Amino acid sequence: MMYQYEYVSLYTGGGFWINNAECEHRKIIDRYAAQGWRYAGYLPIKFSGDGGLKEIDLVFEKPVEDEK
């Protein structure tokens, strides 16, 4: 089975002690799930000077119909 992927960039703030509860990650995941996408994980994109995550890509996937 083949999958297609969608990537959504999300700014997280960058510090170790940042409260990310205000980030939109849950709303984004729920919105994509309602469209048939499955949350597959995240990839770190940018880091702060102290090693915190400044930006991530949320990764979504869904099966691709075979073209036979």
Side-chain angles (χ1 to χ4, degrees):
M1 178 180 298
M2 300 270 307
Y3 289 89
Q4 70 182 64
Y5 292 89
E6 184 80 19
Y7 307 92
V8 178
S9 294
L10 181 64
Y11 177 74
T12 60
F16 280 114
W17 307 110
I18 300 293
N19 179 359
N20 284 330
E22 297 174 6
C23 288
E24 299 291 316
H25 63 284
R26 291 179 179 166
K27 291 178 184 177
I28 294 169
I29 292 170
D30 289 345
R31 184 173 65 238
Y32 273 79
Q35 297 172 10
W37 293 91
R38 185 179 80 89
Y39 173 69
Y42 74 93
L43 298 168
I45 302 300
K46 294 181 183 175
F47 296 90
S48 67
D50 60 3
L53 293 175
K54 287 182 81 170
E55 188 175 337
I56 62 172
D57 272 355
L58 299 176
V59 182
F60 299 90
E61 68 180 7
K62 69 179 173 180
V64 175
E65 299 294 325
D66 289 336
E67 296 180 17
K68 293 184 178 183

